[in-house]
Amino acid sequence: MQKLLENRVAVITGGGRGIGEAIARRLAGEGASVAVCDVMLDNAQKVADDLAELGVKTRAYAVNVTDGIQVADICAKIVADFVRVDILVNNAGITRDGLLLRMSEADWDLVLDVNLKGAFLFTKGLIPAMMKQRGGSIVNIASIVGVLGNAGQANYSASKAGMIGLTKTVAKEYAKRGVRANAIAPGFIQTAMTDKLTEEQKKMQTDIIGLARMGQPDDVANAVLFLASDLSSYVTGQVIGVDGGLRI
């Protein structure tokens, strides 16, 4: 039986751990070759080595997604190494939380640069290859707070809302060239970051979730698989919530 992503090439930013790692494993499991990009080469290489055991072509790349020259160089290397690019998952992201009045300009700039500028730079760097082959899928990992906002996360919320706007604009600009762009807005997902929360904090979160539990990285990865594959060939410019019913 043919796998969903056989003969496809996927590029994942922030692929060295957490949700990015889960996405890399899910797409590779469906036959995709994977370029694992991360600011920490050791993390990216470990994931790439694990994926190679699945029998797919994979390679690790160290990249600072905020550096335009570096991103352009990495994008060129990826295209040279893999010949084509079918899927781009803009997942790299950070938080620097704090109330707006206490938030430093540096923390604002850093979060916007990594989360939003990084997605812009990778999209700009790889969309020409997709246009040339008349097809591709871009999946941006936004957040529920990009839709609802969240106290103490003005920078993060703004960056994720910006990703949603970027997604819709890219979808409009490149649909006629066969390139789709969609966003996923995860809710509370269990990662190393949420593992640091107290039990009381975790309960406060799960109490407002319809399904009464935190999501898993694989929940996000499954949604990415849908948007990356031909199962969603008539879906573009959309924001899919993976939030356990948090918004209902």
Side-chain angles (χ1 to χ4, degrees), residues 21-245:
E21 179 180 356
I23 293 169
R25 294 183 185 280
R26 190 70 179 95
L27 301 190
E30 284 295 334
S33 299
V34 181
V36 184
C37 301
D38 199 278
V39 69
M40 301 295 294
L41 182 58
D42 288 348
N43 290 346
Q45 190 62 61
K46 183 180 182 304
V47 173
D49 290 344
D50 289 346
L51 298 184
E53 296 181 3
L54 298 175
V56 300
K57 180 177 179 179
T58 182
R59 185 163 294 187
Y61 301 87
V63 59
N64 175 356
V65 299
T66 72
D67 186 325
I69 294 175
Q70 193 176 134
V71 170
D73 182 55
I74 290 296
C75 288
K77 287 181 179 178
I78 291 171
V79 173
D81 290 341
F82 289 87
V83 181
R84 60 183 294 123
V85 173
D86 302 281
I87 301 154
L88 168 61
V89 183
N90 285 309
N91 168 74
I94 62 168
T95 59
R96 292 291 186 274
D97 295 347
L99 294 176
L100 188 144
L101 286 177
R102 299 175 183 171
M103 184 175 291
S104 68
E105 187 176 344
D107 282 348
W108 173 273
D109 288 344
L110 182 60
V111 171
L112 269 290
D113 280 353
V114 173
N115 298 2
L116 183 55
K117 182 181 176 183
F120 159 72
L121 291 175
F122 259 90
T123 300
K124 184 177 180 180
L126 292 176
I127 207 166
M130 294 182 176
M131 292 169 60
K132 184 177 180 180
Q133 65 202 31
R134 303 290 298 184
S137 175
I138 298 169
V139 184
N140 292 324
I141 307 302
S143 171
I144 186 67
V145 304
V147 179
L148 301 179
N150 195 35
Q153 290 191 308
N155 49 6
Y156 188 74
S157 298
S159 71
K160 295 302 186 177
M163 288 185 78
I164 291 172
L166 174 66
T167 299
K168 291 179 177 293
T169 298
V170 171
K172 288 185 175 182
E173 288 186 358
Y174 297 100
K176 288 182 171 58
R177 305 299 293 270
V179 179
R180 298 183 295 111
N182 293 284
I184 292 174
F188 295 117
I189 306 298
Q190 186 173 350
T191 62
M193 186 183 303
T194 58
D195 286 343
K196 297 176 182 178
L197 298 175
T198 66
E199 290 305 314
E200 183 180 358
Q201 289 173 320
K202 291 178 182 178
K203 186 177 185 305
M204 288 176 61
Q205 290 184 347
T206 55
D207 282 349
I208 62 174
I209 298 172
L211 293 179
R213 67 171 178 85
M214 297 179 77
Q216 298 298 316
D218 282 344
D219 293 319
V220 179
N222 287 334
V224 172
L225 174 60
F226 168 70
L227 292 175
S229 74
D230 289 341
L231 293 176
S232 61
S233 61
Y234 201 55
V235 179
T236 193
Q238 303 304 305
V239 181
I240 297 179
V242 181
D243 58 19

